[in-house]
Amino acid sequence: MYKDKQVRRAKLINGAQVKHAKVPGGSDHPDGAEEKLVIDREGNILDRPEPLHAKKASKDQPKGDPGKKKSGAEAKVNGETEIPADFDELKSRLEQYVGLNQSFDVIFREMVFGGQKTGIFYYNGFAKDFVLTSILERLSYADQVRREEQHHVRRLTRDESGHLSEEKERKLDVIKLFDEALIPHIQVKKTDKLKEAVDNVAMGGTAFFFEGHKEAVVVDAKNFPVRTTEEPALERVVRGARDGFVETSLTNVTLVRRRIRDPKLKLEIMQVGTRTQTDICLAYIEDICDIELVEAVRDKIKQVKVDGIPLAEKQLEEAIFNKKWNPYPMVRFSERPDVVSAHLLEGHLILFVDTSPSVMILPTTFFHHVQHAEEYRQTPIVGTYLRWVRFVGMLCSLFLFAALVSDRVFTGVEAGGARVYRPAEAGKNPAARPVSDR
């Protein structure tokens, strides 16, 4: 009884009555008859038996027919490739493009909702289980929602023309129905390009394909493996915030947005790497930061042509500045959201690189590299004093020891108005002694 109920739900979206399929080995299907979708108890589409007349036609077709349709492996997927309406062609393209049925984490599950055959495409490690479960529970009411939408179409048709038009009755926008009424999620968008759908899935989303339609609905329900926002080990403070950046750029951007609620704070997203497609985020305050600097950095990032930047911010720095023999740092790195927020208010440009907790701050000078987050937690007098103590300590470490050694070891002799230093006494080199004397 349960199986019969599931089979009755497998109807075509255009409302046509579906004929029963004969069991394999029986007589041929009558002309014009369509097969009933065969599903299991979980709602998965099972492979349908191929009609006998289709098998006969395939046998009669000569090999190497020029009119034969190209397979998905022969077709190249690019930015302009449309989504195939047929699921067999779609799966062939996905096999060629992303390794469907080859990579164990690439999933394409076929189900039926409201008589509409639906394909759910996602990467297993990125899927957020409780969000997708909530969506599937909502999609189980597709039959009821579809009947209400068709009743609404009939009522509007009668009000406008006075009689029911069968052609207008069947004009039900399936994509719009699923997007606006059946998918309870806040980050949803539609696309008709296969590459865009695959790229969104590679970033953690889930794509819903509908057989007979060349559009897909992409749901941003991602779940990255990420650690907690703990305090960074290199920038610990006695007083202050204990949170720090992590390897997920969205979390890092949220930590900064929480501290700076200015609508002038702009966050631009870019991608670097033809293979890794790493997300790069440019953060700046529009009316404080130099716009020419933002445009210059943006143009340099666009000119980066590499396979990928798996080492994140360090590879990006080398690609942008292209310094060969300059040993001095050109940017400052920080893992503290409060430090980055303070630099944003000073007019700096911030670069977030996905998969890295270190954030790039530019432009920087020598004095930016000797600052510490603890100084921001002190009064101006104490903070300034601590900073000058640090400067004096650096100068002493560079010059004071060398001056003391030269004063003790060398003696000055006036020679022609100039003071010349020479050793006070002849030194002895232990390495010059014979081996027997050692």
PDB file of all heavy atoms in Angstrom, residues 402-427:
ATOM      1  N   ALA A 402      77.836  46.992  20.190  1.00  0.00           N
ATOM      2  CA  ALA A 402      78.966  47.203  19.272  1.00  0.00           C
ATOM      3  C   ALA A 402      79.849  48.342  19.770  1.00  0.00           C
ATOM      4  O   ALA A 402      81.092  48.280  19.679  1.00  0.00           O
ATOM      5  CB  ALA A 402      78.464  47.478  17.874  1.00  0.00           C
ATOM      6  N   ALA A 403      79.275  49.409  20.314  1.00  0.00           N
ATOM      7  CA  ALA A 403      80.067  50.531  20.816  1.00  0.00           C
ATOM      8  C   ALA A 403      80.887  50.132  22.038  1.00  0.00           C
ATOM      9  O   ALA A 403      82.057  50.524  22.174  1.00  0.00           O
ATOM     10  CB  ALA A 403      79.135  51.705  21.157  1.00  0.00           C
ATOM     11  N   LEU A 404      80.325  49.345  22.947  1.00  0.00           N
ATOM     12  CA  LEU A 404      81.064  48.896  24.127  1.00  0.00           C
ATOM     13  C   LEU A 404      82.221  47.989  23.755  1.00  0.00           C
ATOM     14  O   LEU A 404      83.335  48.104  24.298  1.00  0.00           O
ATOM     15  CB  LEU A 404      80.121  48.183  25.086  1.00  0.00           C
ATOM     16  CG  LEU A 404      79.058  49.053  25.784  1.00  0.00           C
ATOM     17  CD1 LEU A 404      78.117  48.195  26.607  1.00  0.00           C
ATOM     18  CD2 LEU A 404      79.719  50.122  26.649  1.00  0.00           C
ATOM     19  N   VAL A 405      81.997  47.074  22.819  1.00  0.00           N
ATOM     20  CA  VAL A 405      83.064  46.163  22.405  1.00  0.00           C
ATOM     21  C   VAL A 405      84.191  46.935  21.747  1.00  0.00           C
ATOM     22  O   VAL A 405      85.399  46.706  22.015  1.00  0.00           O
ATOM     23  CB  VAL A 405      82.501  45.077  21.472  1.00  0.00           C
ATOM     24  CG1 VAL A 405      83.642  44.261  20.849  1.00  0.00           C
ATOM     25  CG2 VAL A 405      81.572  44.171  22.228  1.00  0.00           C
ATOM     26  N   SER A 406      83.851  47.870  20.885  1.00  0.00           N
ATOM     27  CA  SER A 406      84.892  48.653  20.209  1.00  0.00           C
ATOM     28  C   SER A 406      85.665  49.523  21.193  1.00  0.00           C
ATOM     29  O   SER A 406      86.869  49.760  21.028  1.00  0.00           O
ATOM     30  CB  SER A 406      84.275  49.506  19.105  1.00  0.00           C
ATOM     31  OG  SER A 406      83.359  50.444  19.659  1.00  0.00           O
ATOM     32  N   ASP A 407      84.995  50.014  22.231  1.00  0.00           N
ATOM     33  CA  ASP A 407      85.688  50.857  23.215  1.00  0.00           C
ATOM     34  C   ASP A 407      86.641  50.054  24.084  1.00  0.00           C
ATOM     35  O   ASP A 407      87.691  50.561  24.518  1.00  0.00           O
ATOM     36  CB  ASP A 407      84.662  51.575  24.088  1.00  0.00           C
ATOM     37  CG  ASP A 407      85.320  52.544  25.066  1.00  0.00           C
ATOM     38  OD1 ASP A 407      85.856  53.571  24.601  1.00  0.00           O
ATOM     39  OD2 ASP A 407      85.271  52.259  26.279  1.00  0.00           O
ATOM     40  N   ARG A 408      86.288  48.793  24.385  1.00  0.00           N
ATOM     41  CA  ARG A 408      87.132  47.967  25.240  1.00  0.00           C
ATOM     42  C   ARG A 408      88.293  47.338  24.481  1.00  0.00           C
ATOM     43  O   ARG A 408      89.388  47.193  25.005  1.00  0.00           O
ATOM     44  CB  ARG A 408      86.294  46.856  25.878  1.00  0.00           C
ATOM     45  CG  ARG A 408      85.256  47.364  26.854  1.00  0.00           C
ATOM     46  CD  ARG A 408      85.902  47.958  28.075  1.00  0.00           C
ATOM     47  NE  ARG A 408      84.902  48.408  29.041  1.00  0.00           N
ATOM     48  CZ  ARG A 408      85.223  48.983  30.202  1.00  0.00           C
ATOM     49  NH1 ARG A 408      86.505  49.182  30.522  1.00  0.00           N
ATOM     50  NH2 ARG A 408      84.272  49.370  31.028  1.00  0.00           N
ATOM     51  N   VAL A 409      88.081  46.943  23.261  1.00  0.00           N
ATOM     52  CA  VAL A 409      89.080  46.192  22.514  1.00  0.00           C
ATOM     53  C   VAL A 409      90.019  47.108  21.755  1.00  0.00           C
ATOM     54  O   VAL A 409      91.229  46.859  21.673  1.00  0.00           O
ATOM     55  CB  VAL A 409      88.399  45.196  21.557  1.00  0.00           C
ATOM     56  CG1 VAL A 409      89.438  44.470  20.706  1.00  0.00           C
ATOM     57  CG2 VAL A 409      87.570  44.209  22.357  1.00  0.00           C
ATOM     58  N   PHE A 410      89.477  48.209  21.224  1.00  0.00           N
ATOM     59  CA  PHE A 410      90.281  49.078  20.398  1.00  0.00           C
ATOM     60  C   PHE A 410      90.607  50.346  21.166  1.00  0.00           C
ATOM     61  O   PHE A 410      89.830  50.813  21.990  1.00  0.00           O
ATOM     62  CB  PHE A 410      89.544  49.444  19.105  1.00  0.00           C
ATOM     63  CG  PHE A 410      89.283  48.252  18.225  1.00  0.00           C
ATOM     64  CD1 PHE A 410      88.117  47.517  18.361  1.00  0.00           C
ATOM     65  CD2 PHE A 410      90.203  47.871  17.276  1.00  0.00           C
ATOM     66  CE1 PHE A 410      87.880  46.428  17.553  1.00  0.00           C
ATOM     67  CE2 PHE A 410      89.969  46.776  16.467  1.00  0.00           C
ATOM     68  CZ  PHE A 410      88.808  46.051  16.602  1.00  0.00           C
ATOM     69  N   THR A 411      91.799  50.949  20.860  1.00  0.00           N
ATOM     70  CA  THR A 411      92.205  52.235  21.409  1.00  0.00           C
ATOM     71  C   THR A 411      92.350  53.237  20.286  1.00  0.00           C
ATOM     72  O   THR A 411      92.813  52.894  19.188  1.00  0.00           O
ATOM     73  CB  THR A 411      93.544  52.094  22.143  1.00  0.00           C
ATOM     74  OG1 THR A 411      94.539  51.617  21.235  1.00  0.00           O
ATOM     75  CG2 THR A 411      93.434  51.177  23.344  1.00  0.00           C
ATOM     76  N   GLY A 412      91.974  54.450  20.565  1.00  0.00           N
ATOM     77  CA  GLY A 412      92.024  55.467  19.540  1.00  0.00           C
ATOM     78  C   GLY A 412      93.376  56.148  19.489  1.00  0.00           C
ATOM     79  O   GLY A 412      93.984  56.463  20.516  1.00  0.00           O
ATOM     80  N   VAL A 413      93.907  56.415  18.299  1.00  0.00           N
ATOM     81  CA  VAL A 413      95.179  57.100  18.077  1.00  0.00           C
ATOM     82  C   VAL A 413      94.925  58.218  17.082  1.00  0.00           C
ATOM     83  O   VAL A 413      94.293  57.999  16.035  1.00  0.00           O
ATOM     84  CB  VAL A 413      96.252  56.139  17.550  1.00  0.00           C
ATOM     85  CG1 VAL A 413      97.545  56.886  17.280  1.00  0.00           C
ATOM     86  CG2 VAL A 413      96.472  55.001  18.532  1.00  0.00           C
ATOM     87  N   GLU A 414      95.385  59.411  17.432  1.00  0.00           N
ATOM     88  CA  GLU A 414      95.242  60.537  16.535  1.00  0.00           C
ATOM     89  C   GLU A 414      96.246  60.399  15.407  1.00  0.00           C
ATOM     90  O   GLU A 414      97.452  60.288  15.630  1.00  0.00           O
ATOM     91  CB  GLU A 414      95.479  61.852  17.292  1.00  0.00           C
ATOM     92  CG  GLU A 414      94.478  62.129  18.385  1.00  0.00           C
ATOM     93  CD  GLU A 414      93.105  62.469  17.826  1.00  0.00           C
ATOM     94  OE1 GLU A 414      93.025  62.802  16.626  1.00  0.00           O
ATOM     95  OE2 GLU A 414      92.123  62.386  18.581  1.00  0.00           O
ATOM     96  N   ALA A 415      95.766  60.436  14.185  1.00  0.00           N
ATOM     97  CA  ALA A 415      96.644  60.325  13.014  1.00  0.00           C
ATOM     98  C   ALA A 415      96.153  61.281  11.945  1.00  0.00           C
ATOM     99  O   ALA A 415      95.146  61.013  11.283  1.00  0.00           O
ATOM    100  CB  ALA A 415      96.681  58.900  12.495  1.00  0.00           C
ATOM    101  N   GLY A 416      96.855  62.386  11.816  1.00  0.00           N
ATOM    102  CA  GLY A 416      96.482  63.352  10.781  1.00  0.00           C
ATOM    103  C   GLY A 416      95.150  64.001  11.024  1.00  0.00           C
ATOM    104  O   GLY A 416      94.394  64.238  10.076  1.00  0.00           O
ATOM    105  N   GLY A 417      94.829  64.282  12.273  1.00  0.00           N
ATOM    106  CA  GLY A 417      93.565  64.929  12.589  1.00  0.00           C
ATOM    107  C   GLY A 417      92.402  63.979  12.684  1.00  0.00           C
ATOM    108  O   GLY A 417      91.288  64.384  13.030  1.00  0.00           O
ATOM    109  N   ALA A 418      92.605  62.718  12.364  1.00  0.00           N
ATOM    110  CA  ALA A 418      91.538  61.712  12.437  1.00  0.00           C
ATOM    111  C   ALA A 418      91.864  60.701  13.516  1.00  0.00           C
ATOM    112  O   ALA A 418      93.043  60.385  13.751  1.00  0.00           O
ATOM    113  CB  ALA A 418      91.373  61.013  11.094  1.00  0.00           C
ATOM    114  N   ARG A 419      90.836  60.214  14.153  1.00  0.00           N
ATOM    115  CA  ARG A 419      91.023  59.242  15.227  1.00  0.00           C
ATOM    116  C   ARG A 419      90.908  57.838  14.645  1.00  0.00           C
ATOM    117  O   ARG A 419      89.876  57.465  14.085  1.00  0.00           O
ATOM    118  CB  ARG A 419      89.984  59.446  16.324  1.00  0.00           C
ATOM    119  CG  ARG A 419      90.233  58.602  17.568  1.00  0.00           C
ATOM    120  CD  ARG A 419      89.233  58.965  18.651  1.00  0.00           C
ATOM    121  NE  ARG A 419      89.439  58.187  19.857  1.00  0.00           N
ATOM    122  CZ  ARG A 419      90.310  58.508  20.812  1.00  0.00           C
ATOM    123  NH1 ARG A 419      91.047  59.599  20.686  1.00  0.00           N
ATOM    124  NH2 ARG A 419      90.424  57.759  21.898  1.00  0.00           N
ATOM    125  N   VAL A 420      91.976  57.102  14.745  1.00  0.00           N
ATOM    126  CA  VAL A 420      92.035  55.761  14.177  1.00  0.00           C
ATOM    127  C   VAL A 420      92.039  54.759  15.321  1.00  0.00           C
ATOM    128  O   VAL A 420      92.769  54.937  16.310  1.00  0.00           O
ATOM    129  CB  VAL A 420      93.307  55.586  13.308  1.00  0.00           C
ATOM    130  CG1 VAL A 420      93.363  54.180  12.736  1.00  0.00           C
ATOM    131  CG2 VAL A 420      93.340  56.620  12.210  1.00  0.00           C
ATOM    132  N   TYR A 421      91.217  53.727  15.201  1.00  0.00           N
ATOM    133  CA  TYR A 421      91.138  52.686  16.221  1.00  0.00           C
ATOM    134  C   TYR A 421      91.991  51.499  15.800  1.00  0.00           C
ATOM    135  O   TYR A 421      91.997  51.082  14.631  1.00  0.00           O
ATOM    136  CB  TYR A 421      89.683  52.241  16.423  1.00  0.00           C
ATOM    137  CG  TYR A 421      88.846  53.230  17.172  1.00  0.00           C
ATOM    138  CD1 TYR A 421      88.151  54.224  16.493  1.00  0.00           C
ATOM    139  CD2 TYR A 421      88.757  53.169  18.553  1.00  0.00           C
ATOM    140  CE1 TYR A 421      87.383  55.145  17.190  1.00  0.00           C
ATOM    141  CE2 TYR A 421      87.996  54.087  19.250  1.00  0.00           C
ATOM    142  CZ  TYR A 421      87.306  55.071  18.565  1.00  0.00           C
ATOM    143  OH  TYR A 421      86.560  55.983  19.245  1.00  0.00           O
ATOM    144  N   ARG A 422      92.745  50.998  16.778  1.00  0.00           N
ATOM    145  CA  ARG A 422      93.553  49.813  16.549  1.00  0.00           C
ATOM    146  C   ARG A 422      93.498  48.947  17.802  1.00  0.00           C
ATOM    147  O   ARG A 422      93.158  49.447  18.884  1.00  0.00           O
ATOM    148  CB  ARG A 422      94.991  50.187  16.238  1.00  0.00           C
ATOM    149  CG  ARG A 422      95.707  50.854  17.393  1.00  0.00           C
ATOM    150  CD  ARG A 422      97.131  51.204  17.023  1.00  0.00           C
ATOM    151  NE  ARG A 422      97.835  51.784  18.164  1.00  0.00           N
ATOM    152  CZ  ARG A 422      99.100  52.214  18.109  1.00  0.00           C
ATOM    153  NH1 ARG A 422      99.752  52.129  16.954  1.00  0.00           N
ATOM    154  NH2 ARG A 422      99.673  52.713  19.182  1.00  0.00           N
ATOM    155  N   PRO A 423      93.829  47.691  17.701  1.00  0.00           N
ATOM    156  CA  PRO A 423      93.791  46.826  18.892  1.00  0.00           C
ATOM    157  C   PRO A 423      94.741  47.308  19.959  1.00  0.00           C
ATOM    158  O   PRO A 423      95.845  47.802  19.683  1.00  0.00           O
ATOM    159  CB  PRO A 423      94.205  45.461  18.337  1.00  0.00           C
ATOM    160  CG  PRO A 423      93.926  45.533  16.888  1.00  0.00           C
ATOM    161  CD  PRO A 423      94.135  46.949  16.482  1.00  0.00           C
ATOM    162  N   ALA A 424      94.308  47.194  21.204  1.00  0.00           N
ATOM    163  CA  ALA A 424      95.145  47.648  22.310  1.00  0.00           C
ATOM    164  C   ALA A 424      96.386  46.794  22.460  1.00  0.00           C
ATOM    165  O   ALA A 424      97.449  47.269  22.844  1.00  0.00           O
ATOM    166  CB  ALA A 424      94.334  47.650  23.610  1.00  0.00           C
ATOM    167  N   GLU A 425      96.304  45.496  22.186  1.00  0.00           N
ATOM    168  CA  GLU A 425      97.456  44.607  22.280  1.00  0.00           C
ATOM    169  C   GLU A 425      97.303  43.517  21.231  1.00  0.00           C
ATOM    170  O   GLU A 425      96.196  43.238  20.748  1.00  0.00           O
ATOM    171  CB  GLU A 425      97.568  43.978  23.678  1.00  0.00           C
ATOM    172  CG  GLU A 425      96.343  43.208  24.087  1.00  0.00           C
ATOM    173  CD  GLU A 425      96.461  42.649  25.497  1.00  0.00           C
ATOM    174  OE1 GLU A 425      97.399  43.047  26.219  1.00  0.00           O
ATOM    175  OE2 GLU A 425      95.631  41.814  25.848  1.00  0.00           O
ATOM    176  N   ALA A 426      98.430  42.954  20.884  1.00  0.00           N
ATOM    177  CA  ALA A 426      98.405  41.915  19.852  1.00  0.00           C
ATOM    178  C   ALA A 426      97.638  40.707  20.353  1.00  0.00           C
ATOM    179  O   ALA A 426      97.896  40.191  21.452  1.00  0.00           O
ATOM    180  CB  ALA A 426      99.834  41.526  19.472  1.00  0.00           C
ATOM    181  N   GLY A 427      96.733  40.266  19.570  1.00  0.00           N
ATOM    182  CA  GLY A 427      95.958  39.092  19.944  1.00  0.00           C
ATOM    183  C   GLY A 427      96.621  37.822  19.496  1.00  0.00           C
ATOM    184  O   GLY A 427      97.508  37.820  18.645  1.00  0.00           O
TER     185      GLY A 427
END
